[in-house]
Amino acid sequence: MRGAGCTINDMWDRDYDRQVARTASRPLAAGDISTFQSLVFLGGQLSLALCVLLCLNYYSIILGAASLSLVITYPLMKRITYWPQLVLGLTFNWGALLGWSAIRGSCEWSVCLPLYFAGVMWTLVYDTIYAHQDKRDDIMIGVKSTALQFKEDTKQWLSGFSLAMLLSLCVAGMNCNQTFPYYSAVAAVGAHLAHQIYTLDIDKPEDCWKKFASNRTVGILLFLGIVLGNLWKQKDFKNVEEPSENR
């Protein structure tokens, strides 16, 4: 579905992409493939996504189908609002809800909503940085973004989003009894984001790309924190269980 979202985005934006140096070489914008070919490819992506979705429980099927409207409408948002990155966050982080419901049969909102909100805040951080690469072209062609909205105040906004992300991750962790490795990873994520924002040069596209791409480290750190935190949790549970059995 993430791939389908990228395909839809390129289909909607093919005329804009031709006018932006960084995106002019994209297959649709460059004319390497036709709109019909991209539509066929999109159909294949959505068919595969449907196959996966139908393997899940009914709750998850409905929840997953509900994300389709966001996937389709996100690319239009940059035409009507300076906050398309917020809609992107709502779209890209749907997995925080769907992943939980696929395993548990429904969402535990005290965990899922803070996790989802943290993901949205993270998207606002990295995609605002990403948008700064194209701000000069965006002004000329009339495309909106948070980069144009925040301008020279970008770092303050990014700091606020990062703080909200970290607090939300802590709330999600507390509500599902996470352990030391998880909170250590959250702290490491905070340090990484602080360095990323402090050293960011919003007027250098190459630096914006470097900082944007470094968010893979944020994802890896958080993933490892969740996995190791859950393993630690299982170890603690066994340590509590064994004395009970001995009695």
Side-chain angles (χ1 to χ4, degrees), residues 12-209:
W12 280 118
D13 287 355
R14 61 188 182 278
D15 292 333
Y16 284 141
D17 286 346
R18 292 188 187 108
Q19 303 175 61
V20 177
R22 189 181 56 82
T23 59
S25 60
R26 288 179 177 176
L28 264 171
D32 295 335
I33 61 172
S34 66
T35 302
F36 177 74
Q37 287 174 314
S38 63
L39 194 60
V40 171
F41 181 65
L42 175 62
Q45 289 177 299
L46 292 175
S47 297
L48 287 172
L50 181 62
C51 289
V52 174
L53 192 62
L54 293 177
C55 294
L56 306 180
N57 54 67
Y58 289 122
Y59 185 100
S60 298
I61 290 172
I62 294 169
L63 186 64
S67 70
L68 193 58
S69 59
L70 285 169
V71 173
I72 293 169
T73 58
Y74 154 68
L76 298 174
M77 293 298 108
K78 66 189 76 174
R79 294 159 170 79
I80 60 176
T81 177
Y82 281 99
W83 290 83
Q85 281 71 23
L86 176 60
V87 182
L88 179 67
L90 295 172
T91 307
F92 266 14
N93 294 287
W94 203 260
L97 309 178
L98 188 59
W100 188 284
S101 71
I103 300 299
R104 297 294 184 90
S106 63
C107 284
E108 189 172 329
W109 295 109
S110 64
V111 179
C112 294
L113 280 182
L115 184 61
Y116 181 57
F117 182 76
V120 173
M121 293 298 102
W122 182 28
T123 303
L124 278 164
V125 171
Y126 66 70
D127 208 58
T128 296
I129 294 172
Y130 184 88
H132 269 285
Q133 297 178 99
D134 303 326
K135 59 189 175 186
R136 292 179 181 84
D137 290 323
D138 288 348
I139 291 170
M140 288 191 293
I141 62 179
V143 169
K144 300 176 175 65
S145 72
T146 47
L148 297 179
Q149 176 72 15
F150 302 154
K151 297 177 183 174
E152 297 305 315
D153 293 331
T154 290
K155 289 192 176 186
Q156 292 93 310
W157 282 93
L158 297 185
S159 299
F161 295 143
S162 297
L163 181 60
M165 172 191 174
L166 296 171
L167 290 174
S168 296
L169 288 173
C170 289
V171 171
M174 288 186 290
N175 288 341
C176 65
N177 302 312
Q178 267 296 351
T179 54
F180 177 74
Y182 173 80
Y183 295 108
S184 298
V186 171
V189 164
H192 179 89
L193 288 172
H195 178 265
Q196 187 183 132
I197 294 167
Y198 181 74
T199 59
L200 172 66
D201 187 338
I202 60 173
D203 294 318
K204 289 187 177 179
E206 62 276 11
D207 188 59
C208 291
W209 173 258

Side-chain angles (χ1 to χ4, degrees), residues 228-245:
L228 295 176
N230 285 338
L231 291 174
W232 188 296
K233 196 190 303 185
Q234 290 175 3
K235 184 192 75 171
D236 287 349
F237 179 76
K238 286 178 182 177
N239 289 341
V240 170
E241 203 174 45
E242 285 172 4
S244 301
E245 289 174 355

